[in-house]
């Protein structure tokens, strides 16, 4: 029996695939060799989910992998028209990052409400300056994105007694549709972007949306960088149209030292780390191995992405 070829788009540290010994012929690729090796692979593991090389390297007609798995929640970095139109199955790392990201969002909410960035700055300056902080209980939040990450964020914020509304692509019980977004963010103290990046969501948080928000509102993006028009956010903060913001994802990553975003008043910048807790790479590796075992046994895969929508469907 022929052993399937598993091609890994490498990133350090490499995934632990020892459980697949004898059940997969593992080959490794980088950005310079991926296009050459793709037609000979049965499965592609996009371990380097920061790379966009799959979009340019994906073969058109002819042999190609039957299954692509990305070790990330988002799939916009690999989706291209040829892949979307093919019969190749795409899966993602749904489920790994939900709770860590929700905890990170809660930490940002508390840090901004309690003015912790100023406390740390004043401590470094050895300055004693008493201040009052905000109580989060009783405030209002809107979470944009009703997938597992968005739903976990909503549950976590509700545990802090924050009244939380969830906005998704289509309305369901307990989930608002896009037509309610402006009305909801106009009353929100916290607006959290957790949506996938699609044609419909690209640039959805623009100058008009920031103008709709209250002057006391804070904005957090842990979704995808392309959800936000960054210049519009910087202007909204500089003109105090909103009270503060935190970005963990950016249009172009890594953020260069020359980027003006580092010095925008009221903006917390973090390097795309909200879901990355100790041991997260091991969890990603275990998840892929379990998926591979399902695939090799002919069982249906889970976390299957709707390639036209750009995410795993379902509430």
């Amino acid at each position: 029996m022929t052993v399937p070829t598993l091609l890994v788009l490498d990133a350090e540290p490499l995934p632990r695939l020892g459980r697949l010994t004898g059940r997969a012929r593992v080959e490794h690729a980088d950005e310079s060799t991926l296009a050459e090796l793709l037609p000979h692979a049965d499965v592609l593991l996009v371990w380097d989910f920061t790379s966009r090389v799959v979009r340019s390297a994906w073969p058109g007609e002819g042999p190609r992998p039957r299954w692509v798995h990305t070790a990330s929640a988002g799939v916009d970095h690999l989706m291209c028209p040829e892949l979307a139109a093919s019969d190749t199955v795409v899966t993602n790392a749904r489920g790994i990052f939900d709770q860590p990201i929700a905890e990170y969002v809660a930490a940002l909410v508390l840090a901004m409400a309690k003015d912790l960035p100023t406390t740390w700055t004043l401590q470094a300056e050895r300055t004693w300056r008493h201040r009052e902080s905000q109580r989060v209980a009783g405030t209002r939040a809107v979470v944009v994105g009703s997938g597992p990450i968005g739903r976990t964020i909503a549950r976590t914020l509700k545990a802090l007694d924050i009244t939380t509304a969830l906005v998704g692509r289509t309305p369901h019980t307990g989930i608002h549709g896009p037509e309610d977004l402006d009305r909801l963010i106009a009353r929100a103290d916290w607006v959290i972007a957790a949506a996938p990046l699609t044609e419909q969501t690209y640039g959805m948080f623009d100058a008009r949306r920031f103008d709709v928000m209250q002057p006391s509102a804070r904005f957090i993006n842990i979704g995808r960088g392309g959800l936000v028009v960054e210049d519009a956010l910087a202007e909204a903060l500089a003109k105090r149209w909103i009270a503060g913001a935190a970005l963990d994802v950016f249009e172009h990553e890594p953020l260069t030292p020359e980027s003006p975003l580092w010095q925008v008043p009221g903006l917390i910048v973090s390097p795309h780390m909200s879901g990355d807790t100790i041991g997260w790479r091991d969890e990603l590796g275990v998840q892929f191995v379990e998926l591979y075992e399902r695939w090799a046994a002919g069982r249906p895969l889970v976390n299957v992405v709707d390639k036209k929508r750009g995410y795993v469907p379902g509430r």
Side-chain angles (χ1 to χ4, degrees):
M1 186 177 70
T2 303
V3 176
T5 297
L6 165 61
L7 181 61
V8 182
L9 179 58
D10 284 346
E12 293 292 341
L14 296 176
R16 298 180 181 181
L17 302 175
R19 277 171 53 183
L20 300 184
T21 300
R23 291 187 285 173
R25 185 164 67 90
V26 180
E27 296 186 351
H28 296 271
D30 57 23
E31 293 196 345
S32 65
T33 61
L34 182 66
E36 175 187 353
L37 296 173
L38 266 177
H40 309 290
D42 297 292
V43 180
L44 172 64
L45 168 58
V46 185
W47 191 248
D48 183 3
F49 53 82
T50 66
S51 172
R52 301 178 70 85
V53 70
V54 175
R55 295 172 63 95
S56 58
W58 188 258
E61 299 295 327
R64 54 183 175 263
R66 291 175 281 160
W67 167 37
V68 174
H69 177 78
T70 179
S72 61
V75 299
D76 52 281
H77 60 291
L78 58 86
M79 202 59 64
C80 60
E82 294 80 10
L83 174 54
S86 73
D87 58 358
T88 298
V89 176
V90 176
T91 57
N92 72 353
R94 179 180 172 122
I96 298 295
F97 302 105
D98 306 356
Q99 190 59 40
I101 290 178
E103 293 174 3
Y104 199 87
V105 169
L108 288 170
V109 167
L110 290 168
M112 287 191 276
K114 305 307 178 183
D115 198 23
L116 293 184
T118 300
T119 296
W120 294 323
T121 298
L122 293 175
Q123 179 180 347
E125 297 172 353
R126 302 189 180 211
T127 300
W128 182 281
R129 184 185 304 162
H130 181 268
R131 300 167 336 274
E132 294 178 345
S133 64
Q134 180 182 3
R135 183 185 304 206
V136 298
T139 59
R140 297 174 181 268
V142 175
V143 180
V144 183
S146 61
I149 292 174
R151 296 198 302 271
T152 306
I153 291 170
R155 287 196 300 269
T156 303
L157 295 182
K158 287 177 182 177
L160 295 173
D161 202 18
I162 298 174
T163 301
T164 306
L166 196 58
V167 177
R169 183 174 183 267
T170 54
H172 298 285
T173 302
I175 300 176
H176 296 268
E179 64 278 2
D180 292 334
L181 179 57
D182 286 351
R183 175 179 61 83
L184 291 169
I185 65 175
R187 303 178 59 198
D189 301 288
W190 313 97
V191 179
I192 296 99
L197 186 61
T198 66
E199 290 183 3
Q200 292 72 35
T201 63
Y202 184 86
M204 67 183 300
F205 289 99
D206 54 12
R208 187 190 67 80
R209 284 259 158 75
F210 292 123
D211 189 50
V212 168
M213 297 179 194
Q214 301 183 93
S216 60
R218 274 95 165 206
F219 174 77
I220 298 171
N221 185 17
I222 48 75
R224 305 298 289 171
L227 299 175
V228 179
V229 179
E230 292 170 349
D231 289 345
L233 174 60
E235 182 181 19
L237 289 166
K239 294 184 176 180
R240 298 186 180 180
W241 294 343
I242 61 174
L247 298 180
D248 186 57
V249 288
F250 301 86
E251 179 81 20
H252 302 289
E253 297 181 6
L255 205 61
T256 65
E258 297 76 28
S259 172
L261 291 174
W262 292 106
Q263 295 182 312
V264 172
L267 177 61
I268 298 173
V269 171
S270 58
H272 204 147
M273 58 179 284
S274 61
D276 302 347
T277 52
I278 296 169
W280 66 285
R281 289 185 178 88
D282 289 339
E283 291 182 51
L284 288 171
V286 169
Q287 181 188 54
F288 173 73
V289 168
E290 291 175 350
L291 282 171
Y292 185 92
E293 290 172 341
R294 293 177 66 96
W295 177 81
R299 298 166 57 202
L301 288 168
V302 297
N303 291 4
V304 175
V305 173
D306 183 322
K307 293 184 290 183
K308 292 182 179 178
R309 295 185 183 182
Y311 55 87
V312 178
R315 291 187 53 198

